[in-house]
Amino acid sequence: LSYQEALNDATGSLILPGFIDGHAHAPQYAFTGTGMGLPLLEWLEMHAFPCEVRFSDPVFAKHMYEKAVQAHLQSGTTTVSYFASVHLEASKVLVDVVRAAGQRAHVGKVSMDRNSPVALCESTVDAIADATAFAEYVLLSNSCALQPAAAAVPLVTPVVTPRFVPSCTSELMHALGALSHRYKLPVQSHLSENSGEIEWVQALHPDCASYAAVYEQHGLLNERSYFAHCVHCSGGERELLRCAGSSVIHCPSSNFMLNSGVCNVRQYLDEGIKVSIIYTELSVLNCMRVGMVFG
Ligand SMILES: [Zn+2]
C-alpha cells in the first residue's frame, strides 16, 4: 500500500489518544453493574470475593478475561492497570490475553494472606512465592514476547498488588515491598476508601500513624506506587504521598455507587500530588461525567 492508500479520512470525527485506566479488577467484569448500594466491606463479602473464587479455573479465567479486555478496548481504553485474583495460573492467563490483544497494561496477581475467605486466603509462604513467580513470569516472558515495532518498553509490566492492608500480614507486605525494590516494579493497592475500612486498619496497626503510614513502613510507598480511592486521606497521609511521589487513582463512579464519599481531587492537585482516574463503568465518558458532578 502507498501511504495515500493507507490513510483513513477522519473528516468530521474527533481523534483522541487512547484512554488510560489506572485501576481495574479484571474478574469483576463478571458481575458488572450488580451489587451497587452496599458499603465496601459488605460488597466485598457479597459480590467480589465469591466471584474471584471462580478464577481458580484458568479456563473460566481465559473466557472472562478475554471479554474484559475487549470491553476496555472497545471503550477506547488502550492502557489499563489490572488487578487479577490470588490465583497464579489465572493471573498468567490475563497477561497472555492482554498481550494477544495488543493492549498495554500493568497486571498484578493479588496478594491476600489474612482476613479473607478460606478459598482466597493464601498462606504467607505461598503468597510470597507466587507473587515472586508471577513477576518473574512476566519479566521473563517479556523477553520473548512479540512486541509492536514501535513499543520501546514491553506491553505488559508486572505490578506488585497487595489487595489492601486488612488482607495482608506484615510479613507479606515487607516481602512485597522487597519484591518491588528488587525489580523496580510498580505497586498498586487501595487506600482510605471507606470509614469502616480505615478503622479496621487502625485496629490492625495501632503503631502506625495512618493507613498510608502502614504502606510506608512496609516499603510499599514510593514513586512507583499508586493507590485507588483515597477518599478520606488525612493531611498527614497526603504529605506522605506527596513526599514519596506516589499517585492517587480517583474512582468517581465506584465512590458514588458504594457511597464511600467524595474525593477532594482539587486539594490533591493543589498540593502537588499526582492524580489519575478509573472508569468503573467501562464507559470513559460516563465516568468523567460522574467525576465532574460528584468529585
Ligand atoms: Zn479496587
Side-chain angles (χ1 to χ4, degrees), residues 209-266:
S210 67
Y211 195 158
V214 179
Y215 289 124
E216 187 205 25
Q217 286 204 1
H218 293 87
L220 291 162
L221 200 76
N222 57 49
E223 73 284 1
R224 302 182 302 280
S225 310
Y226 46 100
F227 299 94
H229 301 286
C230 302
V231 175
H232 305 286
C233 283
S234 63
E237 287 186 295
R238 297 197 305 275
E239 184 64 7
L240 279 179
L241 292 170
R242 194 184 63 75
C243 290
S246 303
S247 303
V248 168
I249 308 295
H250 178 40
C251 315
S253 294
S254 168
N255 294 341
F256 176 72
M257 287 187 274
L258 301 187
N259 198 22
S260 299
V262 178
C263 178
N264 191 342
V265 172
R266 173 49 56 196

Side-chain angles (χ1 to χ4, degrees), residues 23-25 28 40 43 83 163 189-190 193 228-229 251 254 278:
H23 183 96
H25 292 263
Q28 291 174 13
L40 171 69
W43 176 84
F83 280 58
R163 183 174 208 113
S189 196
H190 300 86
E193 174 176 358
H229 301 286
C251 315
S254 168
I278 77 163

Side-chain angles (χ1 to χ4, degrees), residues 120-141:
L120 293 176
C121 196
E122 307 167 283
S123 71
T124 303
V125 170
D126 286 349
I128 295 169
D130 284 2
T132 306
F134 175 76
E136 291 175 348
Y137 168 78
V138 180
L139 295 173
L140 208 69
S141 55

